Amino acid sequence: MKTIDVCLSPDLMHLYNVQNHTVVVVDILRATSCMTTAFAHGIATIAPFAQLQDCLAMKEKGYFTAGERDGKKVDGFDLGNSPFEYQNPALKGKNIAFTTTNGTQAIVKSLGAKEIVIGSFLNLSAVATHVRELPYDILVVCAGWKGKVNLEDTLFAGAVVEKLKNETELACDAPLAAQHLYNQAKNDMVAFLSTSSHVKRLGKLGIHKDIEFCLTPDQYDVVPRLVDNVLTVSR
Amino acid sequence: MKTIDVCLSPDLMHLYNVQNHTVVVVDILRATSCMTTAFAHGIATIAPFAQLQDCLAMKEKGYFTAGERDGKKVDGFDLGNSPFEYQNPALKGKNIAFTTTNGTQAIVKSLGAKEIVIGSFLNLSAVATHVRELPYDILVVCAGWKGKVNLEDTLFAGAVVEKLKNETELACDAPLAAQHLYNQAKNDMVAFLSTSSHVKRLGKLGIHKDIEFCLTPDQYDVVPRLVDNVLTVSR
């Protein structure tokens, strides 16, 4: 039986072996929710960057640039970190260079995996189906917040564990804790998360609509995959 | 209002500032449960050691030696890691040199705090009262398992958060997640933990009695404190 594991923070990635694993990278608020939305609306590729400057430099190569630091859009970038910006028909067939506080780092630390996919509640069932069909053990990597564990990414990890519970074995306590939290939260995730630190932080930025959208399961059936350091989907 | 925070693994301690904090170190199965039991039964001091050899060398200085690796007593040591061993009247007034897989490391990484105390379910209310009376912010440091998050230490952290919820502010999502898990588990922690990795690991060693005892709240009212690198209690 395949195992399923959860890394609750990129700062714990040294404890996990990504080789022979499918890695699901998650940054619910809001990087991976934006990426999922972008692909569902026809973006061709997304290139992730850890550094702002490297990302911005892609503008010259015809890329749209997307950047967020501390939950806010960065000056000089075309796109911020609201999923609704990525529903724009003008982006169809285009390429995006993307950098975020936590999400990109989680991708970089997952390099070496058999496959790296982008997960969010928006494509939860599609991701579960995809990792189920691959022959590899599964590791969900939570982007967290500056190294710290966050609740929304943990809930998503728990949702994946719950979806695959009859066909995987839990590798340690982190997937079990995530699964318990998800089952406690699933009937009203918005309410469950209302006291979480990131939701409070984003609430101050006035983006309740974003939060509600990012917590809505199964809006899209795309599964963005990292191929040659660029995210893409099979069309 | 004071803040309360939870570090879910010693490998995340670089993200936390211990200065001006009371740190509660917890390793439910079984180091801090043993330490609590030992002090409740009259031990004078416990000196924590990271290295087995350093610990064993204290035998010459008249210390009882207590050592565990991977849940098993170490050859040549007087005591293992079962709390029942520490109820022995022969230990009254004596000193112990103690080393464990995870617990000692959590203490070492907490050095620099205003105060370091030893927490377990066995002395839960006593610890809550103690940290409540001190003027410092509170950080619960979970010993975990070789860097990974474990459920039993997380539940204890959640129990402390729950006890202090009306007089502290949550510093981030980790205390919130721990509190949710504790509230889900509290009516039957033995059952809740029955699928956890460490309980399964220890179950193979045949120590169900130990596990049940370590999950029983408020058996003792001692609060072991680190003073000059040695654990002691006020008598």
Side-chain angles (χ1 to χ4, degrees):
Chain A
M1 198 180 259
K2 282 193 276 190
T3 63
I4 188 161
D5 209 342
V6 173
C7 179
L8 292 169
S9 153
D11 283 26
L12 293 175
M13 276 296 277
H14 58 284
L15 302 169
Y16 294 83
N17 183 5
V18 296
Q19 287 180 330
N20 301 313
H21 280 73
T22 307
V23 168
V24 181
V25 171
V26 55
D27 184 2
I28 293 297
L29 297 175
R30 297 167 279 171
T32 61
S33 299
C34 286
M35 291 171 175
T36 303
T37 304
F39 282 110
H41 289 267
I43 271 287
T45 69
I46 295 179
F49 288 88
Q51 303 298 326
L52 275 179
Q53 289 311 316
D54 298 344
C55 188
L56 197 55
M58 297 298 285
K59 219 167 189 168
E60 290 173 17
K61 298 186 180 169
Y63 280 66
F64 281 86
T65 52
E68 164 270 333
R69 284 295 180 271
D70 294 333
K72 281 171 235 162
K73 185 171 156 180
V74 183
D75 285 347
F77 280 65
D78 303 310
L79 298 153
N81 211 6
S82 166
F84 299 114
E85 295 180 64
Y86 296 83
Q87 296 177 342
N88 185 345
L91 297 174
K92 196 167 176 177
K94 298 296 197 312
N95 303 299
I96 295 178
F98 203 112
T99 184
T100 75
T101 309
N102 308 290
T104 317
Q105 201 202 358
I107 295 173
V108 169
K109 290 200 177 181
S110 302
L111 294 175
K114 284 284 186 188
E115 171 130 334
I116 298 174
V117 303
I118 294 298
S120 65
F121 283 109
L122 300 170
N123 67 344
L124 170 62
S125 292
V127 164
T129 300
H130 185 79
V131 301
R132 177 185 287 130
E133 286 168 359
L134 293 171
Y136 315 120
D137 291 335
I138 299 153
L139 174 66
V140 183
V141 176
C142 299
W145 181 260
K146 300 185 179 180
K148 293 199 179 176
V149 173
N150 78 27
L151 206 45
E152 64 274 13
D153 295 346
T154 305
L155 290 186
F156 173 81
V160 176
V161 173
E162 182 66 20
K163 285 250 176 216
L164 301 173
K165 66 181 173 188
N166 294 325
E167 53 212 293
T168 56
E169 235 174 89
L170 305 187
C172 71
D173 276 7
L176 183 60
Q179 185 183 21
H180 280 306
L181 287 166
Y182 171 69
N183 282 327
Q184 207 174 352
K186 63 186 174 191
N187 292 327
D188 191 348
M189 285 194 288
V190 175
F192 191 84
L193 285 171
S194 62
T195 53
S196 84
S197 55
H198 198 50
V199 167
K200 283 197 276 186
R201 194 180 298 123
L202 290 180
K204 285 182 193 153
L205 300 173
I207 54 159
H208 294 285
K209 247 181 78 191
D210 278 23
I211 296 169
E212 281 183 23
F213 183 69
C214 291
L215 297 176
T216 312
D218 299 336
Q219 297 302 293
Y220 303 125
D221 63 1
V222 293
V223 180
R225 300 162 52 223
L226 194 74
V227 179
D228 297 333
N229 294 321
V230 169
L231 293 165
T232 185
V233 289
S234 317
R235 303 237 185 238
Chain B
M1 197 180 259
K2 283 193 278 190
T3 62
I4 188 161
D5 209 342
V6 173
C7 179
L8 292 169
S9 152
D11 283 27
L12 294 175
M13 275 296 279
H14 58 284
L15 301 169
Y16 293 83
N17 183 4
V18 296
Q19 287 178 333
N20 300 314
H21 280 71
T22 307
V23 168
V24 181
V25 171
V26 54
D27 184 1
I28 294 297
L29 296 174
R30 294 166 281 169
T32 61
S33 299
C34 287
M35 290 170 175
T36 303
T37 304
F39 282 109
H41 288 268
I43 271 287
T45 70
I46 296 179
F49 287 88
Q51 303 298 327
L52 275 180
Q53 289 311 316
D54 298 343
C55 188
L56 197 54
M58 296 299 283
K59 217 167 190 168
E60 291 173 17
K61 297 186 181 170
Y63 280 66
F64 281 86
T65 52
E68 164 271 332
R69 284 296 180 272
D70 294 334
K72 282 172 234 162
K73 185 172 156 179
V74 183
D75 285 346
F77 281 66
D78 304 310
L79 298 153
N81 211 4
S82 166
F84 298 113
E85 295 180 65
Y86 296 83
Q87 297 177 343
N88 185 344
L91 296 174
K92 195 166 176 178
K94 298 296 197 314
N95 303 298
I96 296 178
F98 203 113
T99 184
T100 75
T101 309
N102 308 291
T104 317
Q105 200 201 0
I107 294 174
V108 169
K109 290 199 176 179
S110 302
L111 295 175
K114 284 283 186 190
E115 171 130 334
I116 298 174
V117 302
I118 294 299
S120 65
F121 283 108
L122 300 170
N123 68 343
L124 170 61
S125 292
V127 164
T129 300
H130 185 80
V131 301
R132 177 185 288 128
E133 286 168 359
L134 293 171
Y136 317 118
D137 290 337
I138 298 153
L139 174 65
V140 183
V141 176
C142 298
W145 181 260
K146 299 182 179 180
K148 293 198 178 177
V149 173
N150 77 28
L151 205 45
E152 64 274 13
D153 295 345
T154 304
L155 290 186
F156 172 81
V160 176
V161 173
E162 181 66 20
K163 284 251 175 213
L164 301 173
K165 67 181 174 188
N166 295 326
E167 53 212 293
T168 56
E169 235 174 89
L170 305 187
C172 71
D173 276 6
L176 182 60
Q179 185 184 21
H180 280 306
L181 287 166
Y182 171 70
N183 281 327
Q184 206 174 353
K186 64 186 174 190
N187 293 328
D188 191 347
M189 285 195 287
V190 175
F192 191 85
L193 284 171
S194 62
T195 54
S196 83
S197 54
H198 198 52
V199 167
K200 282 198 276 186
R201 195 181 297 123
L202 290 179
K204 286 181 192 154
L205 300 174
I207 53 158
H208 293 286
K209 246 181 80 191
D210 278 22
I211 295 168
E212 283 183 22
F213 183 69
C214 292
L215 297 176
T216 311
D218 298 336
Q219 296 302 293
Y220 303 126
D221 63 1
V222 292
V223 181
R225 301 162 52 221
L226 195 74
V227 179
D228 296 334
N229 294 320
V230 169
L231 293 166
T232 185
V233 289
S234 317
R235 303 233 187 240

